[in-house]
Amino acid sequence: MSTTADPTTVAVGSWLHGVVRDADPAALAGVAGMDGGPVRAVRAAGLAAVVSAAPLTEYGEEALRRNLEDLAWLERAARAHHAVVDLLARSGPVVPARLATVHHDDTRVAAMLAERRADLSGTLDRLTGRGEWGVKGYVRPGVPPRAEAPAASGGAGAAYLRRRRAQLTARDEGQRIAAEAAAAVHEALAGSAVAARRHAPQDRRLSGAPTAMVLNGAYLVAGAAVEGFAALVAELTDRHPELRLELTGPWPPYSFVDGRREPAR
């Protein structure tokens, strides 16, 4: 006796949130996946991939191409994805998946774990005991640039002329000084971190800040070094009054994993 597939059945894929060494089912019960339902762990090759159900009518390749152009949809998806990744990061190292990494089923997810076992295990080892911290730097308006130390033969008059010249070209000079300060801050912070990334500054419409962002840095910091790292941010704030520095974190290590998008298979 033959059977006919129900044409109303919706194919469901597996949205990948992240890979960990193991996942506690009780902990996973506290967060919802992309469809509002529970997330689950797919185990293979000594690793666990945490996934949630993703109806392909909304999360299939063509649907994703369309939905990723919808900013409201994209924000909802990013928040739901991050909620799961953040939960995983609180329990230990996690390799976050890039947003919109969808496999056709759990079998394909398990195959990915087997294929990338060495890479994923190495990344988890590198991230153990470390977290991502963000430092954003914004131009602080109204703060005059610091005068350079006067040359021995220049005296106070030369210093005044330098200050006056800076005032006459305040806008361009301010941007230049802010950019140089941002580079100096990033270099100092990178020296106190395990790894560092400098991302493109966010547009004001996205950052919501009243002034321009000139630094958008991410820093991988060992747990034992966090206090010193925060103290360095405070010191750099005093050293560079032309910038307002904002320290955030810890975040899941989005900036320090392989950014490739796993194709749906």
Side-chain angles (χ1 to χ4, degrees), residues 17 19 29 47 55 61 64 67 73 80 82 84 93 110 121 126 130 148 150 169 171 194 225 231 251 257:
H17 293 283
V19 176
L47 298 170
E61 188 172 351
L64 276 177
N67 287 331
W73 184 95
H82 173 71
V84 179
S121 295
R126 179 169 56 85
R130 297 164 175 172
E148 298 176 3
T169 58
R171 183 173 180 179
V194 176
W251 301 100
V257 298

Side-chain angles (χ1 to χ4, degrees), residues 154-199:
Y160 168 79
L161 290 176
R162 283 195 294 270
R163 288 195 299 271
R164 180 60 177 162
R165 189 163 53 245
Q167 290 169 358
L168 293 174
T169 58
R171 183 173 180 179
D172 291 342
E173 187 75 354
Q175 288 294 328
R176 180 187 67 79
I177 291 173
E180 290 179 354
V185 167
H186 177 69
E187 183 179 0
L189 293 175
S192 294
V194 176
R197 300 283 185 275
R198 190 170 179 182
H199 301 301

Side-chain angles (χ1 to χ4, degrees), residues 101-123:
T101 301
V102 180
H103 294 267
H104 283 302
D105 53 41
D106 288 359
T107 300
R108 306 298 177 88
V109 175
M112 179 275 296
L113 291 177
E115 291 169 9
R116 296 188 57 199
R117 179 183 180 279
D119 170 45
L120 291 167
S121 295
T123 301

Side-chain angles (χ1 to χ4, degrees), residues 138-139 204 207-212 244:
Y138 302 91
V139 175
R204 271 188 246 182
S207 71
T211 60
R244 176 174 66 84

Side-chain angles (χ1 to χ4, degrees), residues 18-105:
V19 176
V20 294
R21 292 194 179 97
D22 198 9
D24 179 6
L28 296 183
V31 65
M34 301 307 296
D35 65 342
V39 298
R40 62 186 184 280
V42 177
R43 293 178 172 80
L47 298 170
V50 177
V51 304
S52 60
L56 297 183
T57 51
E58 184 175 0
Y59 300 103
E61 188 172 351
E62 290 185 12
L64 276 177
R65 191 178 299 116
R66 181 174 61 253
N67 287 331
L68 289 172
E69 298 297 323
D70 181 340
L71 292 182
W73 184 95
L74 182 60
E75 182 178 2
R76 288 194 302 270
R79 287 182 181 277
H81 176 68
H82 173 71
V84 179
V85 176
D86 187 54
L87 176 74
L88 297 174
R90 293 177 201 169
S91 300
V94 56
V95 179
R98 187 172 176 179
L99 187 69
T101 301
V102 180
H103 294 267
H104 283 302
D105 53 41

